Amino acid sequence: MANLSADRISQSIQTLAGFGTRSSCSPQTAGPQGIVAARDWLKAQFDGIAGLKTSLYPYAQTRCIQSFTRHNVIALIPGAIHPERIVVVGSHYDSRTIDVTDGTSPAPGANDSGSQTALVLELARAFVGHSFDATVAFIAFAGEEQGMVGSGALAKDMGSVVPNGQVVAMLQSDIVGGDKGVNDATTLQQFRLYSPGTPREVGATTPDGTPDDTSPSRGLMRYVATWGALYVPSMTILPKLREDRPGRGSDHEPFIALGRPGVRFIEAVESPNAGTMASHQHSPNDLPMYVTPEYTVRVAQIVAAVAASLARAPDAPGSIAVTGDATGPKLTWTAPTIGAIDHYFVAARPVSENFYHSRVRVDGKVTNAAVTPAGLGVDATQPYFVSVAAVDPRGHESLFAYPEFRCDPSGCVVPPAALNITSTK
């Protein structure tokens, strides 16, 4: 997406910060400042992009001193072939100050959440005019700062936005401004990506997970690593094996809780001491002067590569089964019901690593393969995970089939917790 503009992103961030506060607890219902004015501006920006189907999704905003009706802002590019399949490109547009229920004090939110809202708006501009098999949904949520209230409502009701809609991936950007106060030249070429295992690592005191685990969100993490590196090789992924930072969260979580793959993009180093005057984050000091729009563009390029690839890709192979053991597993699967298939890839990763090694190509006319550790690039004496992905005639690759099978010298099995993908710890 060569037409992504740091200048437009910078202008969007400045405009959003200019609303004074975008707190979902803001009592204002009209006027030039507050979350309602920000909502109307954002909706108008989407409306001004020909080719988008825009709407406001109302929900009951709770967890404030009083209740309000607030809105998520939605812009769709309907899928040309399978519109019921949805790739969500998400952010939240609400901001907060030190007190999360304070709806009147300054909360400019340049980085959190101006940067991610500007990213989603910029990607909507870039995607229009292109055709996708699946629907791409650009969504700016409200109510995130009070506990994902807006996304929690919409995640359960996507069918009201897209008939029979099923989210195949949720790509959430949150704090992607590249804070100049804490990031340097090295970290401005990196991004953290949060994705949980099974059970999901969500607790404030829950330790990070390990690569000896599997989940749909970890499969999406691997997809981001593969296609992000291909299109934006200058950026380095820092995989974080949990749903979010301890005690924190974002709008991918309600989707994961419903069994949908979700990940969170965030800058490598964020302003510390959130919610205090010593911090830029969650304070009146989250100002445009501290963000790096060129960094936001680079994150946007990664999100664009992943979203576009997924929206054009076939579904993952189904009913995967693996027999044998680590010395020579034999895989069978069923062809995807969505998308023409040219070939498949079988790949594996040691349980000590997050990402796949070598790929074994399998003709698209067959749905089975016998593979070797050497072909997969792994050691037969050590346990590893194995799975299969589908590739269409245009080269668009699906997510790898879930669940991955864990192979060791005694056999290949699905880890006991892998099928309970919504459980937490």
Side-chain angles (χ1 to χ4, degrees):
M1 297 289 178
N3 56 341
L4 298 178
S5 168
D7 288 340
R8 279 196 302 264
I9 284 177
S10 177
Q11 185 58 55
S12 293
I13 291 172
Q14 292 179 53
T15 298
L16 288 160
F19 288 109
T21 179
R22 301 187 305 283
S23 170
S24 296
C25 295
S26 174
Q28 301 100 303
T29 58
Q33 293 203 315
I35 192 168
V36 173
R39 177 204 68 192
D40 293 344
W41 175 84
L42 184 56
K43 174 68 159 50
Q45 294 301 300
F46 283 132
D47 287 342
I49 305 171
L52 293 177
K53 179 182 177 182
T54 66
S55 63
L56 296 176
Y57 180 88
Y59 69 91
Q61 175 64 43
T62 57
R63 305 181 188 178
C64 298
I65 296 174
Q66 65 184 99
S67 296
F68 299 97
T69 295
R70 294 299 183 221
H71 297 85
N72 301 319
V73 186
I74 302 172
L76 305 177
I77 299 178
I81 301 176
H82 295 286
E84 75 284 356
R85 301 178 77 239
I86 310 168
V87 176
V88 175
V89 178
S91 72
H92 70 90
Y93 71 100
D94 61 309
S95 65
R96 60 165 287 188
T97 188
I98 295 170
D99 179 351
V100 70
T101 64
D102 181 347
T104 58
S105 297
N111 194 355
D112 184 18
S113 59
S115 66
Q116 57 257 29
T117 305
L119 179 151
V120 169
L121 180 58
E122 189 67 9
L123 287 187
R125 294 188 182 106
F127 273 51
V128 159
H130 299 275
S131 178
F132 302 95
D133 296 3
T135 294
V136 183
F138 303 94
I139 306 179
F141 300 100
E144 189 271 352
E145 297 292 5
Q146 289 73 37
M148 291 76 73
V149 185
S151 56
L154 183 56
K156 299 174 183 176
D157 195 28
M158 287 298 294
S160 71
V161 177
V162 177
N164 302 311
Q166 182 177 23
V167 173
V168 297
M170 200 295 181
L171 307 170
Q172 173 74 2
S173 295
D174 194 348
I175 311 179
V176 289
D179 189 320
K180 296 175 182 177
V182 289
N183 286 281
D184 58 21
T186 297
T187 58
L188 287 174
Q189 300 296 146
Q190 301 171 334
F191 67 97
R192 288 178 288 168
L193 193 80
Y194 281 88
S195 64
T198 49
R200 297 149 50 205
E201 301 88 358
V202 298
T205 60
T206 302
D208 288 5
T210 75
D212 192 1
D213 194 1
T214 185
S215 74
S217 294
R218 295 279 176 85
L220 183 55
M221 175 192 75
R222 282 184 279 278
Y223 200 94
V224 171
T226 298
W227 297 100
L230 180 64
Y231 286 97
V232 195
S234 63
M235 289 287 279
T236 300
I237 183 174
L238 304 176
K240 299 297 180 181
L241 305 183
R242 57 181 300 115
E243 196 153 293
D244 212 313
R245 299 98 78 220
R248 306 289 294 276
S250 193
D251 295 305
H252 59 307
E253 294 190 275
F255 291 86
I256 297 173
L258 294 174
R260 305 306 179 195
V263 294
R264 175 189 177 147
F265 294 80
I266 181 172
E267 62 191 16
V269 183
E270 62 190 297
S271 183
N273 306 313
T276 71
M277 290 299 291
S279 173
H280 296 161
Q281 190 182 131
H282 294 174
S283 83
N285 299 319
D286 190 355
L287 299 167
M289 63 186 290
Y290 297 120
V291 300
T292 310
E294 294 80 9
Y295 175 82
T296 307
V297 166
R298 291 193 289 274
V299 177
Q301 289 171 332
I302 295 167
V303 178
V306 175
S309 297
L310 282 171
R312 289 170 171 157
D315 216 350
S319 303
I320 182 174
V322 183
T323 58
D325 57 33
T327 63
K330 298 176 179 62
L331 293 83
T332 61
W333 59 88
T334 57
T337 58
I338 293 175
I341 306 304
D342 181 78
H343 61 276
Y344 299 96
F345 280 127
V346 176
R349 62 182 180 90
V351 300
S352 59
E353 298 182 24
N354 288 307
F355 303 118
Y356 293 132
H357 284 197
S358 302
R359 297 178 172 208
V360 175
R361 181 175 173 135
V362 179
D363 188 273
K365 296 183 178 64
V366 300
T367 54
N368 61 85
V371 291
T372 66
L376 295 170
V378 293
D379 182 351
T381 67
Q382 302 297 320
Y384 59 83
F385 285 98
V386 64
S387 187
V388 58
V391 184
D392 73 9
R394 302 168 296 174
H396 301 128
E397 182 177 296
S398 75
L399 292 165
F400 274 78
Y402 190 79
E404 296 177 288
F405 274 69
R406 189 183 190 277
C407 296
D408 62 27
S410 65
C412 296
V413 299
V414 175
L419 298 180
N420 192 2
I421 59 177
T422 62
S423 65
T424 62
K425 64 178 178 181

